[in-house]
Amino acid sequence: MIYTTFAQLYDQLMEPSFYTQWLAYARKRLLPQAPTLDLACGSGRLSVALAQAGYPVTGLDQAEDMLTLAAGHAATAGVKVDLIQGDMADLAGLSPVENVVCAADSLCYLPDHATLEQTMRAVYQVLKPGGVFLFDVLTPYQVDHVFPGYMYNYEDDDRAFMWTSYAGEEPHTVEHDLRFFVWDDALQGYRRYSELHHERTESFAAYQRLLQATGFTAITVTDVAGSPAGLRAERWYFACRKPETVGEA
């Protein structure tokens, strides 16, 4: 998914408490102060928070606009975050790390199961033995029953933003229709932009089978606070690890 105009608005409108909660969740599970790869790091809010907590962080994202924002946030916070433009389904060439995180349902933006499977294998390969992988995904309940018909509108003196979600054509998919009206001094009027974002998710059993087939062990699923996550949760937070040795259960 490539963000354009959405990059800055996304960064400003995303609830800050989401990253605070994610950091607290991660710090209880990641290997302490170990090199950490933040997949689909976006504007770098979580990457910066992890760096402030003492983790050497590399943030990876496809969108140049997002990486520019991430670099700015890291500079403002006075922390070092290495930033790489790349595809999380292809991590070949990256240095092995002890921790990998993927937040904000970023895996749900992958186009199909085959790409999700490829991404899981890429994460497994980049992790050192004993390494930890944390991610969250939307639940089918959220995608099938909560998002369809969802609307969010925002406006200030310089811009307006309209977000409408529709059920997708395939099972457990949703489309987010994003429309922006941004004031342009040269035009003395509003310039209109639009983007269509697609998300998909899978059943709990499908995620668990995929993780197990990839080789991950010690798989747990909770909400962000660490309580067991039910089928009607908004998101599932998965934690798993790469075995220390081949064949370790």
Side-chain angles (χ1 to χ4, degrees), residues 88-153:
M88 63 181 169
D90 182 6
L91 304 177
L94 295 187
S95 298
V97 294
E98 281 86 350
N99 299 316
V100 176
V101 299
C102 188
D105 50 275
S106 296
L107 290 174
C108 293
Y109 285 96
L110 297 174
D112 49 41
H113 181 83
T115 310
L116 176 63
E117 185 176 4
Q118 182 181 349
T119 301
M120 293 294 186
R121 289 198 302 266
V123 171
Y124 190 86
Q125 291 301 317
V126 81
L127 274 174
K128 292 183 178 180
V132 175
F133 179 32
L134 307 180
F135 65 92
D136 71 70
V137 290
L138 297 173
T139 65
Y141 177 79
Q142 179 72 18
V143 170
D144 296 344
H145 300 286
V146 178
F147 267 140
Y150 172 82
M151 296 184 67
Y152 175 78
N153 298 321

Side-chain angles (χ1 to χ4, degrees), residues 124 130-131 211-212 215-219 240-249:
Y124 190 86
L211 289 169
Q212 291 171 338
F216 287 106
T217 60
I219 301 167
C240 56
R241 69 184 184 94
K242 182 175 181 177
E244 291 276 4
T245 59
V246 177
E248 179 188 342

